[in-house]
């Protein structure tokens, strides 16, 4: 019976050793698969980081300040146009009232009145364009901040993946 127990113990030891080898192979396979997945994810994340950085560069390169400046100048010119049109209309009306139809025909007075209306419409349009340019500038500022955060997030993902696979997986091997 001692021989039988010894034989059983040897068999149990052989079985345990075989099971340990299988477990080791499985752990090595899991580790190898995790390393491959980590490498792939790291490559993808580095590409995503580069893309985020390029998007940020592109957003920053857009010159929305110039659009605001142009709209501001257009608005100032439109306001000046109203002043000029008001003056011309007032002068035309005064000539018509003082000297009559022969000095300033009613058609000409009406033309100055239409020019004044058009100048006022131009101010309305210029004001709307200016406000839109300012809103675009504000939106651009937010887009820049959001994209900067995307870059930070991508950098954090790269850092995490550069640390490698889960240390517990490495420990199993």
């Amino acid at each position: 019976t001692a021989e039988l127990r010894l034989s059983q113990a040897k068999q149990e030891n052989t079985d345990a050793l075989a099971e340990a080898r299988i477990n080791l192979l499985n752990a090595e396979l899991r580790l190898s698969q995790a390393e491959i997945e980590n490498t792939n994810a790291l490559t993808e994340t580095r590409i995503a980081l580069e893309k985020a950085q390029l998007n940020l560069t592109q957003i920053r390169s857009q010159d929305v300040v110039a659009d605001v400046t142009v709209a501001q100048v257009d608005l100032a010119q439109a306001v000046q146009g109203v002043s000029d049109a008001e003056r011309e209309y007032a002068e035309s009306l005064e000539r018509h009232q003082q000297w009559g139809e022969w000095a300033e025909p009613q058609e000409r007075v009406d033309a100055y009145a239409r020019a004044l209306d058009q100048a006022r419409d131009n101010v309305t349009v210029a004001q709307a364009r200016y406000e839109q340019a300012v809103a675009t500038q504000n939106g651009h500022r937010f887009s820049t901040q959001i994209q900067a955060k995307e870059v930070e997030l991508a950098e954090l993902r790269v850092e995490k993946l550069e640390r490698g696979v889960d240390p517990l997986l490495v420990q199993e091997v």
Side-chain angles (χ1 to χ4, degrees):
T1 62
E3 285 181 22
L4 184 62
R5 280 187 294 195
L6 181 61
S7 175
Q8 283 177 334
K10 283 182 180 180
Q11 185 59 44
E12 287 173 7
N13 192 24
T14 302
D15 290 347
L17 185 58
E19 185 177 336
R21 285 186 179 142
I22 290 172
N23 288 339
L24 177 60
L25 285 174
N26 284 334
E28 287 173 342
L29 285 173
R30 283 193 306 274
L31 177 60
S32 177
Q33 181 64 34
E35 287 171 341
I36 290 169
E37 289 173 3
N38 187 69
T39 300
N40 292 340
L42 182 57
T43 300
E44 290 174 9
T45 304
R46 283 181 176 151
I47 290 169
L49 171 59
E50 186 176 347
K51 183 179 174 186
Q53 289 169 332
L54 289 171
N55 283 338
L56 181 59
T57 300
Q58 180 184 25
I59 289 170
R60 285 181 174 158
S61 72
Q62 297 168 349
D63 188 9
V64 293
V65 174
D67 294 340
V68 172
T69 302
V70 168
Q72 195 172 24
V73 169
D74 288 346
L75 179 57
Q77 289 174 342
V79 168
Q80 182 60 48
V82 167
S83 295
D84 294 344
E86 285 174 340
R87 181 183 39 74
E88 290 170 353
Y89 174 68
E91 289 171 358
S92 175
L93 194 58
E94 185 179 324
R95 283 190 303 270
H96 180 75
Q97 290 171 348
Q98 281 184 352
W99 294 306
E101 211 37 57
W102 65 270
E104 192 73 19
Q106 184 62 46
E107 296 85 30
R108 193 174 301 158
V109 174
D110 292 343
Y112 282 116
R114 285 191 300 277
L116 177 57
D117 288 340
Q118 181 62 49
R120 287 179 178 148
D121 290 344
N122 291 346
V123 167
T124 301
V125 170
Q127 180 67 40
R129 286 185 180 150
Y130 173 74
E131 290 170 5
Q132 180 62 44
V134 169
T136 299
Q137 183 181 37
N138 290 335
H140 182 267
R141 186 175 16 259
F142 291 128
S143 293
T144 302
Q145 291 171 349
I146 289 168
Q147 192 59 41
K149 292 298 180 190
E150 289 292 333
V151 168
E152 286 180 35
L153 185 60
E155 288 171 342
L156 288 173
R157 288 180 183 141
V158 166
E159 287 175 21
K160 178 182 176 188
L161 290 169
E162 284 177 340
R163 282 179 267 187
V165 296
D166 183 358
L168 294 177
L169 247 146
V170 175
Q171 187 176 355
E172 283 183 29
V173 177

